[in-house]
């Protein structure tokens, strides 16, 4: 109760601006984010939204209170690998701070985030949840704790791989534990892929698999294994005699313990000393004849694993968006709560400009995250058009949102000033954690090439993106026609530029710029479409103003010596930084103003 009262005191102080900036302690991250509720109302049925909203409200309060404190402690007191027990017996185990265990209890137990799309009945809902609903919980939880986001995601991924490709015996034995919300029955998952010889170049992996009766023996090393002591692990290995490259790679399930309770034949060599995500154990694993079971066809292991990349990259984008939203909350709390030179920071022109940069990137990522999650829901329901759309959206989201998170978190730290650099405040942790997103599941170069050379050049997914964006504009009759026409033109130009880059061998260096342009134009269309829908629901069209800012500041090429701050830009900032709903007529005037 003392901690809760302390949070309440700090929150109350934030309403009384003074010389010392408050922080977000005690904030309910769901209630502080009306855009999240708006987008969920757009993408979910009313019945499902009404069911999950009380749970989101509870998680939002915990994320701004007790879970945030647990995350700070778990980050400071990271996992410790022990090689022997107190009697001197060889018995590896990882010691976690109690705060980390409390985070696990909330994520896996109370909210069951890992199981929402796989297990019926979680939080009282009789069905499984759509991906959009699941990632609303991902988004809120990761505003408090980013490190545990990886174990949640890989446990979910292991269950999906097993459910889709495993045989009946493997599913019977392992699937229930991976989707449990009873902490006593839960078996967390891991995916050990990276090797010293091959990170992005998976075909170079050297881990080998030798058949032995109904199982396989694995030998080799895995170099970057997050959730290192997971009970169930999915990993890739090359069966003895298989061809080289990715076609010769098989997918295997490896249990931490054998049927008799003894440890499997692999060792955690050491834990990684990481820049961020310090709360979660990442280790180096040496396989010494570890027993494992083939999952699916041995010659399809790499393909099977890549089918999970859409889910994983989406999750990555959502978690990076969560970091940006938390950074945005922190920056706004400082700006509203601190007085300097006789004025609140939020009233100072240069600070307002920086706040708008933080807000714009955050809102772009939020819109693109839910557009992508909706595409995944439709693809899993059998839509081929959605599957093609998903193929371009996931690398595009992953590329841009994760890079923006690094900048946004750094700018929010700077907004707080010197104490933002101190580990007692959230921004330092956010900035450290943000750098993981642009590395995990492919570095920025790899993901940009995937978006352009493969999704566009090989699979023609740009056509699905163009069709989707045009359909959203067609569904936006409330939006002024001139703005819709401008977005149509920019959609054609962005897709055309992407096709040009994808089709030429001498333009690979443009892949990052082309991917960014696809993201910015797609997000501008999404923001306009959402603005029309939200105006229809409750009379507020302000999201359209974000659409204009994307075009003005992230797409249009201007004269670097021309002044860009004017009455229109100041009016837009005033509306977006304020709390008043703005109607379509007033927004329409600003969309057309110079």
């Amino acid at each position: 109760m003392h901690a809760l009262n302390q949070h309440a005191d700090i929150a109350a102080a934030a309403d009384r601006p003074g010389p010392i900036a408050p922080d977000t302690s005690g904030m309910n991250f769901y209630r502080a984010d009306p855009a999240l509720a708006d987008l969920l109302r757009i993408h979910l049925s009313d019945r499902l939204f009404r069911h999950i909203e009380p749970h989101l409200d509870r998680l939002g309060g915990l994320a701004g209170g007790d879970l945030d404190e647990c995350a700070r402690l778990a980050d400071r007191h990271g996992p410790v690998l022990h090689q022997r027990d107190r009697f001197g017996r060889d018995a590896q185990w990882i010691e976690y701070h109690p705060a980390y265990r409390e985070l696990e209890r909330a994520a896996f137990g109370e909210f069951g985030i890992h199981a929402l799309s796989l297990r019926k009945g979680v939080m009282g809902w009789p069905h499984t949840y759509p991906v959009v609903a699941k990632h609303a919980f991902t988004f809120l939880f990761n505003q408090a704790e980013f490190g545990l986001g990886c174990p949640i995601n890989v446990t979910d991924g292991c269950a999906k791989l097993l459910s889709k490709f495993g045989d009946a015996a493997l599913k019977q034995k392992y699937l229930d534990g991976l989707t449990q919300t009873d902490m006593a029955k839960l078996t967390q998952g891991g995916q050990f892929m990276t090797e010293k010889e091959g990170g992005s170049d998976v075909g170079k992996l050297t881990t080998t698999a030798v058949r032995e009766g109904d199982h396989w023996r694995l030998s080799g090393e895995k170099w970057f294994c997050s959730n290192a002591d997971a009970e169930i692990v999915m990993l890739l290995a090359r069966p003895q005699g298989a061809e080289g490259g990715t076609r010769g790679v098989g997918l295997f399930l490896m249990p931490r313990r054998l049927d008799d309770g003894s440890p499997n034949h692999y060792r955690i060599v050491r834990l990684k000393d990481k820049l961020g995500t310090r709360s979660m154990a990442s280790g180096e694993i040496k396989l010494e004849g570890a027993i494992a079971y083939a999952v699916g066809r041995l010659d399809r292991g790499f393909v099977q694993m890549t089918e999970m990349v859409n889910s994983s990259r989406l999750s990555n984008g959502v978690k990076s968006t969560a970091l940006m939203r938390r950074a945005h909350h922190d920056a706004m709390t400082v700006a509203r709560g601190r007085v300097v030179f006789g004025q609140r920071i939020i009233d100072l022109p240069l600070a307002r400009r920086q706040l708008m940069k933080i807000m714009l990137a955050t809102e772009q990522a939020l819109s693109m995250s839910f557009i992508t999650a909706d595409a995944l829901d439709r693809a899993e329901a059998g839509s081929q058009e959605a599957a093609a759309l998903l193929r371009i959206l996931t690398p595009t989201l992953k590329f841009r949102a994760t890079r923006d998170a690094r900048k946004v978190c750094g700018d929010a730290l700077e907004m707080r000033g010197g104490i933002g650099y101190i580990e007692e405040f959230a921004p330092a942790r956010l900035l450290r954690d943000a750098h993981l997103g642009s590395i995990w599941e492919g570095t920025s170069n790899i993901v940009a090439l995937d978006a352009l050379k493969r999704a566009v050049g090989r699979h023609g997914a740009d056509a699905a993106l163009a069709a989707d964006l045009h359909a959203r504009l067609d569904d936006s009759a409330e939006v002024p026609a001139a703005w819709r026409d401008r977005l149509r033109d920019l959609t054609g130009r962005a897709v055309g530029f992407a096709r040009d880059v994808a089709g030429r061998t001498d333009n690979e260096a443009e892949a990052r710029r082309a991917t960014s342009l696809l993201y910015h134009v797609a997000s501008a269309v999404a923001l306009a479409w959402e603005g029309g829908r939200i105006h229809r629901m409750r009379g507020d069209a302000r999201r359209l103003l974000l659409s204009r800012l994307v075009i003005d500041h992230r797409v249009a090429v201007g004269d670097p010596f021309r002044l860009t701050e004017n009455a229109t830009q100041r009016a837009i900032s005033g509306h977006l930084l304020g709390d008043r709903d703005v109607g379509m007529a007033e927004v329409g005037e600003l969309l057309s103003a110079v």
Side-chain angles (χ1 to χ4, degrees):
M1 289 299 295
H2 174 71
L4 292 175
N5 291 336
Q6 185 181 47
H7 292 325
D9 291 342
I10 295 172
D15 295 328
R16 301 187 298 270
I20 298 177
D23 68 5
T24 58
S25 296
M27 180 181 288
N28 184 310
F29 292 153
Y30 178 71
R31 297 179 191 177
D33 194 353
L36 174 59
D38 283 336
L39 297 192
L40 291 176
R41 287 189 179 98
I42 290 173
H43 289 290
L44 299 177
S45 70
D46 181 64
R47 177 171 171 246
L48 178 53
F49 175 75
R50 284 188 285 107
H51 174 79
I52 66 172
E53 187 172 38
H55 300 286
L56 292 171
D57 186 71
R58 172 163 168 75
L59 179 55
L62 289 171
D66 289 350
L67 292 183
D68 189 44
E69 178 63 15
C70 287
R72 187 184 67 81
L73 290 170
D75 184 80
R76 175 171 291 185
H77 305 284
V80 178
L81 174 63
H82 296 275
Q83 300 289 354
R84 288 187 165 192
D85 67 15
R86 62 182 178 272
F87 299 106
R89 294 173 296 201
D90 290 334
Q92 282 195 326
W93 60 285
I94 297 176
E95 177 185 359
Y96 295 92
H97 192 276
Y100 185 83
R101 295 303 191 192
E102 183 61 21
L103 291 164
E104 288 181 316
R105 188 203 62 76
F108 289 102
E110 179 173 356
F111 297 100
I113 301 171
H114 68 299
L116 292 180
S117 294
L118 296 163
R119 192 180 190 97
K120 296 179 180 179
V122 180
M123 291 184 291
W125 185 246
H127 313 288
T128 58
Y129 290 83
V131 179
V132 168
K134 176 180 78 171
H135 281 313
F137 289 91
T138 302
F139 178 65
L140 285 174
F141 183 85
N142 279 267
Q143 288 180 51
E145 163 60 9
F146 187 80
L148 188 62
C150 179
I152 296 168
N153 183 63
V154 294
T155 301
D156 180 18
C158 282
K160 285 182 178 177
L161 286 168
L162 180 57
S163 177
K164 188 167 186 177
F165 301 113
D167 60 33
L170 278 181
K171 286 190 278 192
Q172 175 69 25
K173 190 172 184 179
Y174 295 112
L175 187 56
D176 180 71
L178 287 166
T179 62
Q180 273 287 345
T181 57
D182 182 338
M183 297 301 289
K185 298 177 181 177
L186 171 70
T187 51
Q188 290 187 36
Q191 295 175 31
F192 298 173
M193 299 297 156
T194 306
E195 300 186 4
K196 286 181 282 188
E197 298 83 2
S200 300
D201 191 356
V202 178
K204 283 189 165 31
L205 68 78
T206 60
T207 300
T208 60
V210 177
R211 186 155 202 157
E212 187 179 89
D214 66 346
H215 59 261
W216 295 74
R217 293 276 188 173
L218 306 185
S219 300
E221 290 189 46
K222 295 295 182 179
W223 182 241
F224 210 107
C225 304
S226 292
N227 213 18
D229 57 347
E231 292 296 323
I232 306 296
V233 175
M234 290 287 184
L235 70 171
L236 298 175
R238 194 178 308 282
Q240 190 176 42
E243 63 179 296
T246 55
R247 291 186 179 181
V249 171
L251 177 64
F252 296 88
L253 181 152
M254 182 178 71
R256 178 86 172 125
R257 301 194 176 279
L258 303 177
D259 292 343
D260 62 3
S262 63
N264 203 347
H265 306 288
Y266 67 90
R267 293 184 295 113
I268 305 171
V269 178
R270 64 171 177 170
L271 298 185
K272 298 288 193 182
D273 185 10
K274 297 172 294 182
L275 171 67
T277 62
R278 292 176 178 173
S279 62
M280 182 264 299
S282 299
E284 298 168 17
I285 306 295
K286 188 171 182 62
L287 306 167
E288 299 168 325
I291 291 175
Y293 303 93
V295 178
R297 287 173 46 183
L298 285 175
D299 62 343
R300 300 279 294 174
F302 177 74
V303 174
Q304 291 167 179
M305 179 57 70
T306 57
E307 287 196 25
M308 292 300 105
V309 167
N310 280 331
S311 294
S312 187
R313 286 181 173 172
L314 168 59
S315 178
N316 194 331
V318 172
K319 289 196 280 284
S320 290
T321 306
L323 291 175
M324 285 192 270
R325 177 61 89 209
R326 175 62 187 278
H328 176 232
H329 284 322
D330 195 77
M332 289 295 290
T333 300
V334 171
R336 287 173 171 158
R338 188 180 180 209
V339 174
V340 294
F341 308 113
Q343 289 182 279
R344 294 186 309 161
I345 289 177
I346 198 169
D347 297 324
L348 300 173
L350 195 55
R352 291 172 74 84
R353 187 178 180 87
Q354 293 307 111
L355 288 169
M356 290 306 304
K357 288 182 179 180
I358 291 170
M359 176 190 289
L360 184 60
T362 303
E363 298 297 347
Q364 282 185 274
L366 185 65
S367 294
M368 291 296 285
S369 290
F370 282 112
I371 292 293
T372 306
D374 178 69
L376 180 54
D377 276 324
R378 291 185 286 121
E380 291 186 341
S383 169
Q384 292 301 309
E385 293 82 4
L389 176 62
L390 188 69
R391 182 64 187 87
I392 183 65
L393 284 179
T394 51
T396 302
L397 170 67
K398 196 275 183 191
F399 170 77
R400 190 68 261 162
T402 59
R403 294 186 63 76
D404 284 348
R406 289 158 37 179
K407 180 72 165 60
V408 165
C409 291
D411 285 353
L413 183 153
E414 188 176 358
M415 186 66 68
R416 185 167 284 280
I419 59 174
Y421 195 66
I422 304 303
E423 292 286 354
E424 291 172 292
F425 290 87
R429 186 173 82 243
L430 298 178
L431 182 58
R432 287 190 283 103
D433 287 348
H435 282 265
L436 177 62
S438 54
I439 299 172
W440 180 33
E441 293 293 357
T443 61
S444 297
N445 285 350
I446 293 295
V447 176
L449 289 172
D450 182 51
L452 269 293
K453 294 298 185 180
R454 297 185 183 90
V456 174
R458 187 180 302 172
H459 300 292
D462 52 289
L465 178 61
D468 180 84
L469 297 181
H470 284 298
R472 292 185 193 280
L473 292 171
D474 291 341
D475 187 40
S476 302
E478 302 93 339
V479 175
W483 188 248
R484 282 183 283 137
D485 289 343
R486 187 174 184 194
L487 292 177
R488 287 186 198 281
D489 175 65
L490 289 169
T491 295
R493 293 176 66 187
V495 170
F497 182 61
R499 287 172 179 161
D500 183 45
V501 172
R504 298 176 56 166
T505 59
D506 60 343
N507 266 349
E508 187 174 285
E510 296 280 13
R512 292 165 70 114
R513 188 161 69 94
T515 303
S516 287
L517 284 169
L518 286 178
Y519 178 86
H520 294 320
V521 171
S523 66
V525 172
L527 287 160
W529 174 75
E530 292 160 356
R533 297 290 296 272
I534 295 167
H535 184 262
R536 195 184 311 166
M537 289 191 302
R538 59 179 186 83
D540 186 10
R542 282 182 296 170
R543 209 156 179 84
L544 266 164
L545 298 177
L546 291 164
S547 176
R548 168 166 178 168
L549 291 183
V550 171
I551 302 306
D552 286 352
H553 296 284
R554 309 201 78 171
V555 175
V557 178
D559 180 353
F561 300 104
R562 179 176 61 86
L563 295 175
T564 58
E565 186 71 8
N566 55 36
T568 299
Q569 293 291 319
R570 286 191 291 273
I572 291 173
S573 297
H575 287 315
L576 292 173
L577 292 172
D579 297 321
R580 180 177 69 86
D581 291 347
V582 182
M584 188 63 74
E586 191 173 355
V587 165
E589 292 178 2
L590 290 171
L591 289 178
S592 60
V594 177

